Amino acid sequence: MSKKPTKKQQQQLQEFYDDVVKDVTSDFEIRKQARRSYELTWRQNLNFLMGNQYCNVAPNGDVVQEDKCFFWQEKQVFNHIVPIVETRISRLCRNKPKPMVRPYTSSQEDVNSAQLSDKILATLHDRLDMDDVVNQAVTWSETCGTSFYKVSWVSNAGEVVDPNRQDVALTVCPPFEIFPDSNVCQSMQDVQSLIHARVFSVQEIKRIWGKDVEGSTQQTMSFDGVVGAGGLGYNATVPRVAFDKVEDGCVVIERYTRPNASYPNGKLEIVAGNTLLYFGELPYQVGNNGQRDLPFVRQVSFLQPGCFWGASVIERLIPVQRAYNALKNRKHEFLNRLTMGILMVEDGSVDTDNLQEEGLSPGKILVYRQGANLPQIMDNGTLPIDFDKEELRLLDEFVSISGVSDFARNSTTPANVTSGTAMQLISEQDEMRMSCSVEELHAALKKIAKLCLQLYKQFAGHNKLMRIVQGNKADLMYLSSADISNGDIVFDTEGEISGSIASRRAVIFQLLGSGLLTDQDGNVSTQHKERLLNLLGLGSWKDEKPLATLH
């Protein structure tokens, strides 16, 4: 039976807790200032994506709106960023591979553990709604350049700090919530500590951690409206990315520190306001050889040398988009002068107030002073051809910078291209420009699968009841940590063959017709049959006949 701590010990413990809160809070403020420039870039990217393209970063370190210089000035938005980003997101989301597990050796034990792990991952894919989670992460990474997955072990009441039961949870963390110890780390392996900060209501903090904290007004990202800065007219209201205030909230700061000499199992500190919610070692053994590690997976759109944060295609397109908007607006202003005209009148010869109010309407009787010069329309010339040439140049720059051609965005044949081989080359070039982002997505999903199995191995125990779903069959079975072997499992990802289902089916039947997938009797093994059916999108369909008979 443990002894009750003395008052001196309680005082020393409270002083230690206060020092931890002060250290975590001050460290959080330092990291916020160090990450400030990257956050402004993300906010500007979001504004341009949403159509608020007359904004800029002010010297005071905030995103401000640009007003009109003259009342007649055109400030419309011709958003070419949206279709480019939507095309990239759709192509990346279509290329989501399902993680598989294959045995490291041919021993029956490794084969059984690999099959069990494969079933677990297939079940988690449906239970965690991986398609929706990956879509969210891809959207953030394509918009801001970076997104994060947080893998944790949760209970029905919410996330627990010292978990020993329940199941895996996977959440997407926008880059606004992540604060590394250094912004020049090239990868997650170089990060020694990481802060995950979010705004919670005081009621939610009480429910999860069981402690009362003092709430206050907190800032959180919002999408409100701004008048007169968008592409629907001067008085239009367009979305704007800004910060909104949340009443009775509190910022929960989770600081994860990797194992070191002072803390062999790492360190996790959770602070809300002036209250320490948790202090202890890292809860998850998700590192190499079962070591405790950070439960985060990073996904970037484009890697930047010597930088922790990835780059977004929007950052590269913003100068071109500004130039395109300016060109189109100046072009429209010139056309307005040609169509509406500028009337020249002699001073005192006509009622200028009436002309300014009503203009030259059809059938209008224009009365001018006898003996004065006749009012006439100023000759503005014709629209220079340079406007059209520059517009075509800017459209070509959108394609060259983004790597997304008109063929990929509109599914239309480019002008002066009639050869099927040429269109195939254009499609391959689009795929090549996106290969870096695709590889980052595959690497992230591979890491997530590994972390999920490591959490099952850590917390499954001896009698973990799990519902295994495969196709149209569902079984209840008890799992044991000993049945999941991370050391003898090689993680691989199998993506979909590029193209539509028809193109995948054509490739598969070509392989079958060549005899590369059949044995001496012309049949396909059961293992290959299931794999091919999964590639065709028919994983739940079973047939006892040899697959070779399908063609």
Side-chain angles (χ1 to χ4, degrees):
M1 185 176 180
S2 60
K3 296 182 180 180
K4 184 179 181 180
T6 63
K7 289 185 177 180
K8 183 177 181 180
Q9 291 175 337
Q10 291 179 353
Q11 183 179 0
Q12 291 176 348
L13 188 62
Q14 186 61 41
E15 291 177 355
F16 173 75
Y17 289 163
D18 293 340
D19 292 339
V20 171
V21 171
K22 186 182 299 183
D23 179 61
V24 172
T25 304
S26 62
D27 187 22
F28 175 58
E29 294 298 327
I30 293 174
R31 298 190 188 195
K32 277 204 307 184
Q33 293 301 322
R35 204 202 61 178
R36 178 70 174 171
S37 59
Y38 300 98
E39 181 179 321
L40 290 174
T41 301
W42 305 334
R43 289 175 58 189
Q44 186 167 258
N45 290 351
L46 286 168
N47 275 288
F48 268 76
L49 182 67
M50 298 174 64
N52 180 29
Q53 297 182 354
Y54 289 95
C55 63
N56 211 335
V57 178
N60 62 353
D62 197 7
V63 178
V64 296
Q65 301 300 128
E66 298 178 358
D67 296 328
K68 286 186 176 183
C69 298
F70 307 97
F71 71 92
W72 49 262
Q73 189 175 5
E74 291 278 349
K75 297 199 74 171
Q76 307 292 334
V77 172
F78 305 89
N79 200 340
H80 281 260
I81 291 180
V82 166
I84 291 174
V85 174
E86 287 178 348
T87 301
R88 287 182 55 86
I89 291 175
S90 63
R91 299 186 75 169
L92 286 173
C93 292
R94 190 188 66 180
N95 210 340
K96 293 190 295 287
K98 292 185 179 180
M100 303 180 304
V101 182
R102 55 191 174 105
Y104 186 71
T105 66
S106 59
S107 65
Q108 189 61 38
E109 182 180 356
D110 288 343
V111 171
N112 293 337
S113 63
Q115 291 178 350
L116 176 61
S117 300
D118 210 2
K119 292 178 181 180
I120 293 175
L121 293 179
T123 302
L124 286 177
H125 183 274
D126 297 331
R127 190 183 66 79
L128 298 177
D129 198 3
M130 282 291 296
D131 290 336
D132 182 62
V133 172
V134 174
N135 291 348
Q136 294 180 38
V138 169
T139 302
W140 278 112
S141 64
E142 287 300 306
T143 304
C144 301
T146 315
S147 61
F148 296 86
Y149 302 89
K150 184 178 182 181
V151 186
S152 54
W153 191 267
V154 300
S155 66
N156 293 331
E159 186 172 348
V160 291
V161 174
D162 188 15
N164 56 11
R165 64 184 188 275
Q166 299 307 323
D167 218 328
V168 171
L170 181 64
T171 55
V172 176
C173 302
F176 294 93
E177 299 179 355
I178 302 298
F179 302 84
D181 57 347
S182 174
N183 293 302
V184 297
C185 295
Q186 187 65 48
S187 63
M188 283 291 295
Q189 287 70 26
D190 299 329
V191 175
Q192 296 304 314
S193 70
L194 185 141
I195 286 179
H196 182 205
R198 292 172 294 174
V199 176
F200 283 80
S201 64
V202 293
Q203 295 82 5
E204 189 72 7
I205 295 175
K206 174 67 174 179
R207 184 182 69 85
I208 297 176
W209 287 279
K211 294 187 178 181
D212 295 316
V213 297
E214 184 178 353
S216 61
T217 302
Q218 299 293 334
Q219 283 188 340
T220 184
M221 187 186 301
S222 66
F223 302 93
D224 59 2
V226 57
V227 177
L232 303 178
Y234 183 67
N235 294 321
T237 301
V238 298
R240 178 185 64 176
V241 181
F243 286 99
D244 196 7
K245 292 182 179 180
V246 175
E247 303 294 337
D248 200 21
C250 188
V251 178
V252 176
I253 308 171
E254 304 175 5
R255 185 169 71 174
Y256 297 80
T257 305
R258 275 200 165 101
N260 50 43
S262 302
Y263 297 92
N265 288 328
K267 184 171 55 173
L268 173 58
E269 302 147 298
I270 304 180
V271 173
N274 296 323
T275 305
L276 181 64
L277 301 180
Y278 176 80
F279 180 87
E281 60 185 22
L282 290 176
Y284 306 128
Q285 299 175 359
V286 292
N288 296 328
N289 300 322
Q291 295 180 350
R292 297 182 184 266
D293 205 349
L294 308 180
F296 294 92
V297 177
R298 186 190 67 163
Q299 177 180 316
V300 300
S301 181
F302 298 101
L303 287 172
Q304 295 192 94
C307 185
F308 178 76
W309 307 103
S312 170
V313 69
I314 301 179
E315 302 171 28
R316 307 172 182 178
L317 293 175
I318 284 178
V320 184
Q321 183 66 61
R322 290 186 189 274
Y324 189 82
N325 289 338
L327 175 71
K328 294 286 286 187
N329 286 316
R330 299 298 83 78
K331 187 176 181 180
H332 288 174
E333 291 169 4
F334 196 98
L335 292 175
N336 287 338
R337 289 187 175 92
L338 291 179
T339 55
M340 300 179 64
I342 299 177
L343 184 65
M344 297 186 300
V345 297
E346 185 178 344
D347 186 21
S349 62
V350 296
D351 187 356
T352 56
D353 293 336
N354 178 267
L355 281 178
Q356 188 173 4
E357 181 178 354
E358 298 181 2
L360 291 175
S361 60
K364 181 180 180 66
I365 299 176
L366 181 63
V367 180
Y368 65 97
R369 181 171 53 84
Q370 185 177 5
N373 293 325
L374 181 68
Q376 58 182 341
I377 300 295
M378 179 183 293
D379 184 14
N380 291 298
T382 59
L383 183 68
I385 194 174
D386 294 335
F387 277 95
D388 295 331
K389 290 182 178 180
E390 182 64 18
E391 183 175 349
L392 293 177
R393 291 193 197 101
L394 292 175
L395 292 175
D396 290 338
E397 284 194 42
F398 276 113
V399 175
S400 62
I401 292 176
S402 66
V404 179
S405 64
D406 293 333
F407 180 70
R409 280 186 289 172
N410 305 324
S411 299
T412 57
T413 304
N416 301 325
V417 177
T418 57
S419 171
T421 303
M423 288 188 288
Q424 181 65 27
L425 289 175
I426 294 175
S427 178
E428 291 178 358
Q429 289 176 356
D430 291 339
E431 295 284 349
M432 181 180 62
R433 290 292 298 271
M434 294 192 62
S435 60
C436 294
S437 302
V438 171
E439 290 298 326
E440 287 293 327
L441 173 60
H442 290 189
L445 293 179
K446 179 179 176 181
K447 181 66 175 177
I448 291 172
K450 185 175 182 180
L451 295 186
C452 289
L453 290 183
Q454 286 174 324
L455 289 181
Y456 268 97
K457 186 171 180 62
Q458 180 182 357
F459 298 116
H462 299 287
N463 292 313
K464 167 66 179 177
L465 183 63
M466 185 175 183
R467 184 172 178 265
I468 301 294
V469 179
Q470 276 193 319
N472 296 326
K473 295 183 179 180
D475 297 322
L476 290 175
M477 62 179 301
Y478 283 96
L479 302 180
S480 175
S481 298
D483 298 333
I484 306 172
S485 177
N486 287 330
D488 297 330
I489 294 179
V490 177
F491 290 87
D492 196 2
T493 53
E494 182 180 273
E496 297 178 353
I497 301 175
S498 299
S500 62
I501 296 179
S503 63
R504 295 202 302 270
R505 184 177 292 123
V507 172
I508 291 174
F509 282 118
Q510 286 178 3
L511 293 175
L512 288 171
S514 63
L516 294 176
L517 302 178
T518 58
D519 55 17
Q520 296 179 354
D521 298 330
N523 298 328
V524 180
S525 65
T526 304
Q527 182 180 2
H528 286 168
K529 179 193 294 186
E530 294 180 356
R531 185 65 53 83
L532 293 175
L533 288 174
N534 288 330
L535 288 174
L536 292 172
L538 301 173
S540 62
W541 181 79
K542 298 292 182 180
D543 192 352
E544 297 180 355
K545 298 181 180 180
L547 189 59
T549 61
L550 292 177
H551 68 285

